[in-house]
Each structure stands twice: as C-alpha cells, then as structure tokens.
Amino acid sequence: MPTNTIEGYTFAVNDEGFFTDRTQWSEPLASVLAELVGIEHLTEKHWAPLHFMRDDAAKTGVTPTLRRMQAVGGFDVKDLFALFPGKPAKKMAYLAGLPKPVGCV
C-alpha cells in the first residue's frame, strides 16, 4: 500500500491518493491538505461538514455522498460547492481522511 508523507505526517493512501486508514487523520493534517487543494484556511463552516463526514462514515462504513450530506447532514449543496470549489465530495472526503465517495469520478 502506498504512503504519502507531507510536512512530517505519513499516511496510507490508495492509487488515487485517498486515505485507506482513517485513524491516521488529524485536524492539523487536514489543514495542511486543505492548502494542497486550494483552500487557504479551514473555518468552522469547513469543519462542520468534515466532522459530519467522519462521524457518518464511522457509523455506516461508507463515505457519505453529497446527497447524503444534504438529506441527513442538513448541509446546503450550494454552500458545500462554495466552501469546497470544483468537486466538493471528493475534496471533503480527502480532507476528512476518508475514501472517495461511491459514484465520484
């Protein structure tokens, strides 16, 4: 299994760069990763969906999709696109230390 090492953090990843071991995640690491995907600073508005994703994935065993983020988490999809521009589900999963959501290309 490949690993990434960034600013002293080492974590196992799959061939697309997504975490394979959620226990290797931390908030400081997420902040470092955010800069790599073009987000300068994670605010409370960023942390809320990231923490929801981690909690939901721990309960269900799968990374939540945008639809689940909206239906179960109560997050507005337009807000998620504004916070995580481009591909919000993939960016949020990456920053939350989770596998890519099913259905993301």
Side-chain angles (χ1 to χ4, degrees):
M1 187 70 51
T3 60
N4 277 352
T5 301
I6 300 170
E7 292 191 25
Y9 297 100
T10 300
F11 50 98
V13 295
N14 64 15
D15 59 342
E16 293 181 282
F18 287 88
F19 280 70
T20 57
D21 181 353
R22 62 178 276 121
T23 66
Q24 295 176 330
W25 179 88
S26 67
E27 285 189 4
L29 173 55
S31 294
V32 171
L33 296 175
E35 291 180 25
L36 296 177
V37 296
I39 300 170
E40 270 187 50
H41 176 71
L42 293 174
T43 66
E44 286 305 314
K45 289 183 179 185
H46 291 96
W47 286 116
L50 297 180
H51 286 291
F52 171 80
M53 283 189 105
R54 288 188 57 80
D55 293 344
D56 192 64
K59 292 175 192 168
T60 65
V62 295
T63 303
T65 61
L66 278 181
R67 180 170 286 161
R68 183 165 177 84
M69 296 288 294
Q70 181 178 35
V72 178
F75 296 98
D76 183 282
V77 173
K78 288 181 185 178
D79 291 341
L80 296 176
F81 269 91
L83 290 167
F84 304 94
K87 298 185 178 194
K90 286 175 76 170
K91 284 185 179 180
M92 287 186 295
Y94 179 68
L95 298 178
L98 300 170
K100 181 174 73 173
V102 175
C104 279
V105 287

